[in-house]
Amino acid sequence: MKNHCICCGKKLPVKPLFVLEDAPASAQDISDAKAVKGDRGVTLGLYQCEMCGLVQFDCEPVSYYRDVIRAGGFTTTMTGLRREQYRRMIKTYDLKGKKFIEVGCGRGEFIKVLTEFPVSVAGMEHKADLVDIARADGLCVWREFPERGDQNFDGGPYDVFLSFNFLEHQPDPSVMLQAIYHNLSEDGMGLVTVPALEYIAEQGSYYELIRDHIAYYSMDTLQELLERNGFQVLEEELINRDTITMTVKKMPLTDQTLQNVGEKVRDDALARSLQAGYYKVQEEIDALTANLTAAGRTLALWGAGHQGFTLAATTKLGDCARYIIDSAPFKQGRFAPASHLPIVPPEHFYEEPVDAVLIVAPGYTDEIAGSAKEKFGDEVSILAMRTDHIEVMAGGWE
């Protein structure tokens, strides 16, 4: 248990905003057939710092927080988004010929897209086998992780850093940002994305919570963290309603204006939204599983990500569904944490057909729905979890 804020160091309050029981212990340590018997759900307490306002879990980070493991990195949805972000940033800030580095680049999915542009491209990644995959693909990637503020990156200094949905995993985000700052040119820039707390609060999407994401940044708290560590925010926006994107510029540390932060008021609206969302989702899933049982129909889930894992573990889906479909080979043949549903490739459907497929992969729903309809035909009902309700995508539903 950690009882101090990972951003400002203030002691966290005694009372949590929200408690999630029977949650998956992680989104990536997925058990095989031998280990699944020992897997158990965990209880997670979500807190808000009274000083800087950051919402965070009070637990230790997952063991692999230094690694970037992306199942959806090569989807057309995500590669198209990155391509447009690069195009806009390079044009707006005249970055042709500049040196870019992605801090936490996985197997290089996103820097490969960046090679389409007239810039120098490099990446660092902690997980050795992902580094090997990136190098085999011809990318300039090495094994490293920002552990110290005065750390020197290979090939530095760099003109632009990229950090895509990595900061929320970090138990000491300031050290990471200080290391990046140390390795940027004087007029260096950056592009940072994190999941948006605003989306979770607005939708009450409790199943977006996962231990892997130890911190939940809002526009305000992310800007505060960046400014604390020497970065001026030039642009900020919400992408797809659920992701914060900030374009930043390195500023002299002596010019930092954020020295003292006033006390924040506990966000009871967030607590109420999470509770309301939890009960609404339970009602939706209860109704779905009751209808399936009464009609003698079978169900599979599609999406072995943290949303699907949390939903399967904390609702009746874990008992009702036959399996979870996912296109990522490294997840197939394993079992979802806490619910222990088997994870299978899409082709498994032909061996064990089901009457309905519920998509639980926000951000990729439309892409998956098109694929499912094409693969499984019109007789299968294609459903999707849309925030707190279930939407019929294809095939009809009674």
Side-chain angles (χ1 to χ4, degrees), residues 127-140:
K127 191 170 174 61
D129 59 342
L130 298 181
V131 173
D132 292 340
I133 292 170
R135 286 178 172 173
D137 208 18
L139 299 172
C140 178

Side-chain angles (χ1 to χ4, degrees), residues 82-383:
R82 294 289 174 252
R83 187 173 289 111
E84 181 54 35
Q85 287 179 311
Y86 296 151
R87 181 181 295 111
R88 175 182 172 186
M89 187 178 189
I90 291 169
K91 180 179 179 181
T92 301
Y93 298 101
D94 191 21
L95 299 176
K96 290 182 180 179
K98 298 295 186 179
K99 294 172 63 176
F100 282 64
I101 181 171
E102 184 181 1
V103 180
C105 68
R107 63 185 67 193
E109 305 96 319
F110 297 154
I111 60 173
K112 186 171 185 179
V113 177
L114 186 57
T115 61
E116 300 171 12
F117 296 86
V119 298
S120 173
V121 181
M124 68 164 64
E125 169 57 43
H126 178 263
K127 191 170 174 61
D129 59 342
L130 298 181
V131 173
D132 292 340
I133 292 170
R135 286 178 172 173
D137 208 18
L139 299 172
C140 178
V141 174
W142 63 91
R143 190 181 185 198
E144 190 172 6
F145 178 82
E147 299 276 13
R148 306 181 318 277
D150 61 351
Q151 186 170 334
N152 293 321
F153 298 168
D154 286 357
Y158 291 89
D159 301 304
V160 184
F161 80 91
L162 307 169
S163 176
F164 296 120
N165 286 32
F166 193 31
L167 202 58
E168 69 274 12
H169 297 253
Q170 303 310 314
D172 198 343
S174 289
V175 168
M176 172 176 281
L177 290 171
Q178 288 160 16
I180 292 170
Y181 183 99
H182 179 68
N183 286 275
L184 286 182
S185 57
E186 288 188 8
D187 58 349
M189 299 187 64
L191 182 62
V192 180
T193 73
V194 295
L197 178 65
E198 286 86 349
Y199 175 80
I200 298 174
E202 177 187 346
Q203 305 296 332
S205 301
Y206 84 91
Y207 52 86
E208 293 286 352
L209 303 176
I210 190 75
R211 184 184 164 205
D212 296 52
H213 296 179
I214 199 167
Y216 294 83
Y217 292 95
S218 65
M219 286 281 197
D220 289 342
T221 55
L222 179 58
Q223 180 172 344
E224 190 166 295
L225 175 69
L226 291 166
E227 289 180 348
R228 278 177 177 272
N229 290 284
F231 294 100
Q232 176 188 0
V233 176
L234 303 179
E235 297 183 45
E236 61 180 31
E237 65 176 324
L238 279 174
I239 295 179
N240 296 334
R241 299 191 307 153
D242 64 359
T243 302
I244 297 172
T245 296
M246 289 190 178
T247 303
V248 301
K249 183 176 182 178
K250 182 177 179 179
M251 60 182 182
L253 291 175
T254 55
D255 288 350
Q256 291 187 71
T257 57
L258 188 61
Q259 300 296 334
N260 298 304
V261 181
E263 297 240 341
K264 299 292 192 297
V265 177
R266 172 186 159 98
D267 193 352
D268 286 318
L270 172 61
R272 291 192 297 270
S273 178
L274 288 170
Q275 290 288 354
Y278 177 85
Y279 290 117
K280 181 66 167 63
V281 168
Q282 296 294 325
E283 290 177 1
E284 286 280 306
I285 299 301
D286 286 353
L288 171 65
T289 55
N291 288 339
L292 287 166
T293 300
R297 303 181 75 183
T298 54
L299 175 73
L301 308 182
W302 190 318
H306 69 270
Q307 300 97 335
F309 289 160
T310 299
L311 280 169
T314 60
T315 70
K316 292 181 180 179
L317 288 175
D319 295 324
C320 177
R322 297 288 181 87
Y323 47 81
I324 300 180
I325 299 169
D326 201 277
S327 298
F330 68 90
K331 295 185 178 184
Q332 296 162 4
R334 294 180 174 272
F335 296 83
S339 71
H340 303 161
L341 287 174
I343 303 170
V344 301
E347 293 71 27
H348 182 84
F349 172 87
Y350 305 116
E351 302 176 20
E352 187 180 358
V354 291
D355 301 302
V357 173
L358 176 63
I359 301 169
V360 286
Y364 304 100
T365 298
D366 293 336
E367 186 176 341
I368 292 173
S371 177
K373 185 177 180 180
E374 180 181 350
K375 291 177 182 292
F376 305 152
D378 295 333
E379 297 300 314
V380 177
S381 296
I382 307 300
L383 315 173

